[in-house]
Amino acid sequence: MTKRRTEPIPHRWFGRQRAFAEDQERKDTMGSGQAQSRADFTDATKRTLALRAAFRCSSPSCGALTIGPGAGNGDVEMTGTAAHIYAAAPNGPRGTGGLTDAQRRSSLNGIWLCARCARLVDTNAGGAYPVSLLRGWRDLHEARIRMEHGGVSRPFGWIHSIEILEDVWLAEPTTVRFSRCNVFIGDNGMGKTLFLSLLSGLASPSRIMERAGRPDSTVHAALNWYDPQPRRAEFRAEGEQLDFSADGTAVPFVPQPYRIVHLSPDAPRDVRELGNMVGLDHWAARKLIVEMPEIVGGAVKRAWVEDEQIHAQYVRGSEVVVDRGPRRGLDAIVALEVLVALAETYARTQPTLLLIDALYRGTAAEFDHATEILSSSTRGFQTVATSGRSSPPLSAEWTVTRFVLEPDATRVPLKRWARLVQDEA
């Protein structure tokens, strides 16, 4: 039985909590040097994590309420805990990640969990619950609470991981875990585009079958997600044979467990062409374009359709730009916000994954815009992007996975040439 802690909640939690927490965060993030000692959370940080989680466990498969009436009339019973993502102690679960003591005691290194889940994530040195996974849990849970608090109802979903069991480019079976924002980095020809095709393989297996038909090119992968219960689907393609299973049961196909949003970087200006590309009736596409500024809240301030052509007005630095004219494609900033508007709309009714190939390939202003718009904590979808740049401009919200060239030169040419290495820093 879980040991329960009973205590009254001070009234100041609900009065001066924001100023108190902000002041404590400034103190927590001061300091320098590597981790030297145990970095326990302060009471203020624990309260911040509990309040941001609405006193519910942040595990997608749990969500238990961790506060309630105590034995006495004035008592409150607490069963939750502020758990560390990187360890509180130098030799603790998941290690310290090179963080200072102050960084490890910051709320940015914490997640609110029930007592059972807090013990579970630290079992066996936390090996089954890496940093990127716990950050993803926290981000998803806080996004859900933020929407509920704002009166927005939306389904709860999260793509947790992909197990790549066999593919022509992969040196060895690998599991990749997803957070809210993910980027996969590697040189051209390393397999980034092939990897993205795996994520859409359940709903659109055609691209998988095109390469599975080549000799010795079996494609075998499993996807895991929450809705909010844990779910798993697997597919295997070899030659003209395609097999699916859902939660361990063979099926002819897997009903779409999550929505994939994927648009070519060269988004067309013609509204009918754009609608066909993303699977929308052209009148629905027109409506999406017109409401895009309100949906996204980004750089685009006004969008309209004239003679079937999409036009937009957006802010770039201190400059106001009108995207219109004879060019066939939309400006990169406008095209990205079309994607975000589409993903946000789908995310209101089902889990949604936004796939972007070669995200960081434009100007510095476009880099900054993409990072800011996709990293926003208000987003209800997950992003998986690729980049050919070794060090793209990323904020801390992004989980980085690198394509690393397999050093074994004895392998058959053009097969098994890459490994996936996921950063945990």
Side-chain angles (χ1 to χ4, degrees), residues 348-376:
R348 293 172 182 172
T349 58
Q350 64 186 125
T352 300
L353 189 62
L354 173 59
L355 304 182
I356 305 178
D357 207 356
L359 174 62
Y360 298 100
R361 68 174 188 173
T363 66
E366 290 166 359
F367 295 164
D368 294 342
H369 170 255
T371 299
E372 181 179 359
I373 205 76
L374 294 169
S375 300
S376 171

Side-chain angles (χ1 to χ4, degrees), residues 208-284:
I208 301 294
M209 294 302 292
E210 287 174 4
R211 55 193 177 92
R214 301 169 187 170
D216 300 320
S217 296
T218 301
V219 181
H220 188 188
L223 288 140
N224 303 283
W225 72 97
Y226 297 101
D227 66 356
Q229 297 304 312
R231 301 289 307 282
R232 176 184 173 87
E234 188 171 338
F235 63 88
R236 187 178 189 276
E238 182 176 10
E240 295 184 354
Q241 182 69 32
L242 175 63
D243 298 306
F244 289 109
S245 69
D247 298 324
T249 301
V251 292
F253 66 93
V254 179
Q256 194 170 54
Y258 52 84
R259 173 69 67 168
I260 293 289
V261 174
H262 189 190
L263 180 64
S264 165
D266 302 316
R269 186 177 300 278
D270 184 275
V271 70
R272 289 181 180 272
E273 188 177 347
L274 177 70
N276 289 336
M277 188 173 289
V278 299
L280 288 180
D281 178 270
H282 108 275
W283 285 104

Side-chain angles (χ1 to χ4, degrees), residues 34-58:
Q34 298 300 307
Q36 299 294 330
S37 59
R38 184 172 180 84
D40 291 319
F41 293 132
T42 64
D43 288 344
T45 299
K46 294 176 184 177
R47 291 169 185 151
T48 296
L49 290 168
L51 290 166
R52 288 182 65 86
F55 292 99
R56 297 180 194 167
C57 179
S58 299

